[in-house]
Amino acid sequence: MNIILFGPPGVGKGTQGSRLAEELGISHLAMGDILRAAVRAETEAGLAAKGYMDAGKLVPDEVVVAMIEDKILADAAAGFLLDGFPRNVVQAQALDGMLAKHALKIDHTVFMDAPEENLLNRLCGRLICRACGFGFHRQYSPPLKTGCCDRCGGELYQRDDDREDVIAHRLHVYREQTAPLLDYYQHQDSFHQLDASGEMDAVYGALKRIVTGEG
Ligand code: AMP
């Protein structure tokens, strides 16, 4: 099964996407994680991306499109869940070209949305494990031991772009560049809209019902 999750920063694409991909046994291709790994490894693409990411801007399309095509091809047999790609209409068109070229198709395109106040609260309190990438929230899902990942004991940190000034810019970029994807996808058969403002397990249940067609 191949899935696209899209929606504003902080809506829960990463949290819900990694849980769903694990349960379905498909690959979770999170563009932000792929870029952060490239930045850490100081690859050419990572070095090109870093300044844009620190400022909360989109990395140039040609950089992300080339990176995601390799990952999609590597994982096409098992199925994949795209999280954070595409993020604008040019990327959506590039994805369609890629899928046609390799005789692949998307089964479900899920637009997740929540009021801006929820997004701000979620992003400002977000903590991530440096070792395994698992996400926590200072208020809504705090770790058992401060600063320490419940799953692996790794160190928790706040992403540089989860600072309030950068968050405001990311939300602006979302409204200007990513929100138009709604027009691009909403008339396709694979499209679903999911209210992601509720509690984490309830949102997950609704997401699972969408992709399994149950309920
Ligand atoms: P995320 O982890 O999805 O919040 O992404 C973090 C940052 O990575 C974004 O603010 C962008 O700078 C960059 N990024 C992630 N996905 C894309 C994409 N599809 N196109 C361009 N830049 C991206």
Side-chain angles (χ1 to χ4, degrees), residues 51-101:
Y52 295 96
M53 296 173 74
D54 288 346
K57 295 180 180 163
L58 293 191
V59 174
D61 295 330
E62 59 277 14
V63 176
V64 292
V65 167
M67 289 172 98
I68 203 74
E69 182 159 19
D70 289 345
K71 299 279 181 190
I72 287 177
L73 290 185
D75 290 310
F80 53 83
L81 180 148
L82 289 173
D83 152 10
F85 183 92
R87 235 170 167 113
N88 61 27
V89 171
V90 171
Q91 293 179 14
Q93 288 164 338
L95 175 63
D96 281 348
M98 237 181 260
L99 295 169
K101 188 164 96 189

Side-chain angles (χ1 to χ4, degrees), residues 129-147:
C129 174
R130 229 180 255 292
C132 73
F134 195 71
F136 295 85
H137 190 281
R138 284 198 180 91
Q139 192 185 342
Y140 307 129
S141 52
L144 294 171
K145 191 173 157 216
T146 307

Side-chain angles (χ1 to χ4, degrees), residues 180-193:
L181 281 181
L182 196 52
D183 274 345
Y184 189 88
Y185 283 122
Q186 71 183 342
H187 300 297
Q188 301 189 3
D189 289 343
S190 64
F191 180 81
H192 314 264
Q193 182 152 352

Side-chain angles (χ1 to χ4, degrees), residues 120-157:
L120 280 169
N121 286 339
R122 288 180 189 179
L123 289 167
C124 289
R126 186 155 79 165
L127 295 169
I128 299 179
C129 174
R130 229 180 255 292
C132 73
F134 195 71
F136 295 85
H137 190 281
R138 284 198 180 91
Q139 192 185 342
Y140 307 129
S141 52
L144 294 171
K145 191 173 157 216
T146 307
C148 218
C149 176
D150 293 356
R151 283 197 163 181
C152 75
E155 180 202 357
L156 301 184
Y157 77 106

